[in-house]
Amino acid sequence: NAGVTQTPKFRILKIGQSMTLQCTQDMNHNYMYWYRQDPGMGLKLIYYSVGAGITDKGEVPNGYNVSRSTTEDFPLRLELAAPSQTSVYFCASSDPGQGDTEAFFGQGTRLTVV
Amino acid sequence: AQSVTQPDIHITVSEGASLELRCNYSYGATPYLFWYVQSPGQGLQLLLKYFSGDTLVQGIKGFEAEFKRSQSSFNLRKPSVHWSDAAEYFCAVGALTGGGNKLTFGTGTQLKVEL
């Protein structure tokens, strides 16, 4: 199993540009999450989803959007990139109902907005 | 609201020495507790987790952690550190709710191992 796969691994955006960070998982997990990691700040939850078609805001949702059309995919959209969105983004999945109570993380996307 | 405090930002130990990383949490009910490790440029790997039962839990790579409800702590320990243990360590608390298991992370402890 590949687990949680994120693309791209690195990206540089100009201010005002938009992009989509891709995330897919092959564990048939119902729950998926997007976190951002900033130095010295730990990880903060941006958005999460409890299943296809259902999403909700986390702690730091401003400037982001998500969708969940399938169980496998949970893309994160940045519409108007700002320097404050320079960060490392992690996608994760879990499914306590299947016994996977912990979150399984992707390798991350390092985004720089200039 | 749940929260996690990792009071040590950086820790340096000699290879072969013992290690203890501190974690204190705040949560209104019985928490679900995790320790993750992150090597540079990598994602987060689960070391161990606690939900209930025995308060001393064993994880991968020789790590263990002890849940102490009275102290709201979940400290990570290893009897003998290896140079390959140098990494950043995150404690997290979760709650199984309708939103799955949303995790709240501490700010991390950077471990340096001196040879």
Side-chain angles (χ1 to χ4, degrees):
Chain A
N1 284 348
V4 179
T5 302
Q6 292 183 236
T7 56
K9 287 186 169 51
F10 304 93
R11 182 72 185 269
I12 297 175
L13 276 184
K14 294 184 178 180
I15 294 172
Q17 287 185 322
S18 62
M19 77 164 293
T20 299
L21 283 66
Q22 301 292 343
C23 175
T24 187
Q25 52 94 6
D26 63 359
M27 296 173 281
N28 200 34
H29 284 170
N30 282 306
Y31 303 97
M32 296 188 74
Y33 317 85
W34 274 105
Y35 291 88
R36 61 176 287 172
Q37 181 182 29
D38 300 298
M41 301 294 290
L43 282 77
K44 303 290 186 184
L45 182 64
I46 305 171
Y47 270 94
Y48 66 97
S49 169
V50 301
I54 307 171
T55 63
D56 205 349
K57 296 177 180 179
E59 187 179 357
V60 289
N62 291 345
Y64 307 95
N65 279 299
V66 293
S67 60
R68 184 98 181 267
S69 57
T70 67
T71 299
E72 295 78 19
D73 300 306
F74 189 41
L76 178 71
R77 179 84 176 162
L78 283 70
E79 290 293 349
L80 291 170
S84 61
Q85 293 177 306
T86 293
S87 188
V88 181
Y89 292 84
F90 288 99
C91 180
S93 72
S94 72
D95 202 313
Q98 297 181 29
D100 290 334
T101 49
E102 70 268 27
F104 292 79
F105 284 84
Q107 292 297 296
T109 295
R110 184 173 295 275
L111 175 67
T112 302
V113 181
V114 296
Chain B
Q2 56 203 52
S3 66
V4 176
T5 301
Q6 293 181 248
D8 304 306
I9 298 174
H10 296 99
I11 283 185
T12 300
V13 299
S14 299
E15 188 175 37
S18 63
L19 172 71
E20 182 169 30
L21 302 182
R22 295 183 290 165
C23 172
N24 292 96
Y25 68 90
S26 173
Y27 185 63
T30 300
Y32 292 76
L33 294 161
F34 307 84
W35 275 100
Y36 283 88
V37 61
Q38 184 182 34
S39 298
Q42 300 298 311
L44 280 77
Q45 180 184 22
L46 180 73
L47 285 175
L48 47 78
K49 60 185 177 183
Y50 171 80
F51 302 127
S52 64
D54 193 348
T55 56
L56 184 64
V57 294
Q58 303 296 321
I60 62 172
K61 304 185 181 187
F63 285 93
E64 67 177 26
E66 186 171 12
F67 171 64
K68 292 185 177 180
R69 184 187 300 276
S70 62
Q71 298 178 20
S72 297
S73 69
F74 189 56
N75 294 347
L76 182 71
R77 300 194 294 248
K78 187 170 185 178
S80 178
V81 170
H82 188 262
W83 64 266
S84 60
D85 293 324
E88 189 157 24
Y89 292 79
F90 292 95
C91 181
V93 63
L96 292 185
T97 66
N101 195 2
K102 294 179 287 182
L103 299 181
T104 298
F105 285 85
T107 51
T109 298
Q110 187 72 45
L111 174 65
K112 179 180 177 182
V113 180
E114 290 183 332
L115 299 177

